[in-house]
Amino acid sequence: SFTMTVTLLIGLGAGLTSGLLYGSVFTGSSLAMILFYLAPLPLMLAGLGWGWAGALMGAVAGALADAIFLNTDVGLFFIATCAAPSVWLTYLAMLSRPVGDNVEWYPPGRLLAWTVCFAFVLTAIAMFAIGPDIETYRANVKAAVDELMSARPEGQDAIGDAEQMSEYLSRLLLPATVSAWMITILANMWIAGRVLRTSSRLARPWPDLHALDLPRPFVITVAACIALSLLPGSMGLMGTAALAACLIAYMLVGLAILHTVTMNFAARRILLTLVYFSLLAFIFAVLIVAAIGIGEPYLRLRARAHSNRGGST
């Protein structure tokens, strides 16, 4: 039909654009990194606006384009880190079912949980790509640091700095990569939804993000990641990265809670601005906000805030 043809053409264009943005990082320009982070956006626009079939068509087209014009590995990484999450998350976002006289849409909290699942897969892929065992991983990180610092004419001091930096990066690289990926995917999905909502193309109602919550059993995953992070070697490193993904998810839940409980605060904007700046600057701020999200089923801060507002009116 004409509608399906239009959907597939839009998906094709979105996929090629997404593949181009993804591959732009190999040009080495400073602008390329920004374009790289926007790579999921065209596919998510297609998926949320015209359906998952177009997004799937685009995913295949973008992967083939990257594989042909760059190399096969880039095409595979594009599928795993950009195309597959974009198609699946937009497919789920558009799921609905009738409940009485109303329609229930797929909850955003479960989309967040699925994003964490993709982050776990990304952790395994990144670990395998950098080094399948901890010795190879650290050696590859050190080789990259040595290459970056080789231009410094500082002799032995430069070598010492390289060793210290490589040790630091070997611990930080996987958690930072997974955290950045999660924020990138979720930010692109939010942007796609807002653009489509503004253009009246979004087929589902905008979700109440103040009510964002993860399934209650998800906290077991956090406990498992903590236990895994305590193991030696590559398993411990992967556990730390998986734990970082869980903390990012619960941090977003904690932010939703803070947005709700501060609704009637006179200095709400100032307070929330300070919170966001703290999250960018201090790791302990991320842990505190994530702890608020984890503790919400027991603290019931949002329910108390709603009851207080109801009692004050």
Side-chain angles (χ1 to χ4, degrees):
S1 67
F2 177 75
T3 303
M4 179 56 71
T5 302
V6 170
T7 298
L8 293 179
L9 287 175
I10 289 173
L12 178 63
L16 292 175
T17 304
S18 186
L20 177 64
L21 293 173
Y22 193 88
S24 67
V25 73
F26 295 95
T27 64
S29 69
S30 55
L31 179 62
M33 188 57 68
I34 298 174
L35 298 177
F36 173 77
Y37 284 129
L38 291 174
L41 184 59
L43 285 174
M44 289 187 167
L45 285 168
L48 292 176
W50 286 268
W52 67 271
L56 180 60
M57 174 72 177
V60 174
L64 287 175
D66 280 346
I68 292 170
F69 294 106
L70 294 172
N71 60 61
T72 305
D73 288 344
V74 176
L76 292 175
F77 276 109
F78 172 75
I79 292 174
T81 63
C82 179
S86 298
V87 173
W88 183 244
L89 291 174
T90 53
Y91 165 74
L92 291 177
M94 302 311 294
L95 287 180
S96 63
R97 63 181 180 184
V99 179
D101 296 331
N102 300 317
V103 176
E104 182 181 33
W105 293 87
Y106 202 81
R110 295 201 175 190
L111 291 175
L112 184 56
W114 272 106
T115 309
V116 175
C117 293
F118 276 111
F120 292 165
V121 176
L122 175 63
T123 299
I125 292 173
M127 186 72 201
F128 181 79
I130 300 172
D133 57 81
I134 192 65
E135 291 79 13
T136 307
Y137 172 86
R138 286 175 176 164
N140 287 337
V141 171
K142 187 177 186 305
V145 172
D146 287 341
E147 185 176 350
L148 288 173
M149 301 185 71
S150 60
R152 292 179 55 189
E154 297 183 32
Q156 188 64 35
D157 290 339
I159 295 173
D161 290 344
E163 290 177 353
Q164 185 177 8
M165 183 178 293
S166 63
E167 179 63 25
Y168 178 74
L169 281 179
S170 66
R171 297 178 183 178
L172 185 66
L173 183 60
L174 269 186
T177 300
V178 170
S179 300
W181 178 86
M182 272 199 65
I183 293 172
T184 299
I185 283 288
L186 293 169
N188 276 282
M189 193 167 190
W190 183 86
I191 293 170
R194 297 296 293 188
V195 168
L196 292 168
R197 184 190 183 195
T198 302
S199 60
S200 301
R201 185 73 210 184
L202 188 63
R204 62 162 290 167
W206 187 257
D208 180 13
L209 295 180
H210 286 173
L212 180 68
D213 208 355
L214 286 161
R216 184 169 289 195
F218 196 82
V219 72
I220 299 173
T221 307
V222 178
C225 291
I226 292 173
L228 191 63
S229 69
L230 298 176
L231 296 177
S234 57
M235 293 302 293
L237 196 60
M238 291 173 63
T240 303
L243 179 60
C246 293
L247 291 177
I248 291 294
Y250 274 112
M251 179 196 75
L252 294 174
V253 174
L255 286 173
I257 295 166
L258 291 176
H259 274 266
T260 302
V261 300
T262 60
M263 197 76 72
N264 290 342
F265 285 19
R268 181 173 187 259
R269 289 188 178 182
I270 297 175
L271 178 61
L272 292 176
T273 300
L274 289 174
V275 169
Y276 279 97
F277 273 114
S278 298
L279 292 174
L280 292 174
F282 307 109
I283 185 63
F284 75 85
V286 175
L287 298 177
I288 292 172
V289 177
I292 293 173
I294 294 173
E296 173 63 3
Y298 314 100
L299 299 175
R300 296 176 55 82
L301 296 175
R302 281 181 289 210
R304 294 181 183 182
H306 286 310
S307 64
N308 289 339
R309 282 198 291 270
S312 62
T313 55

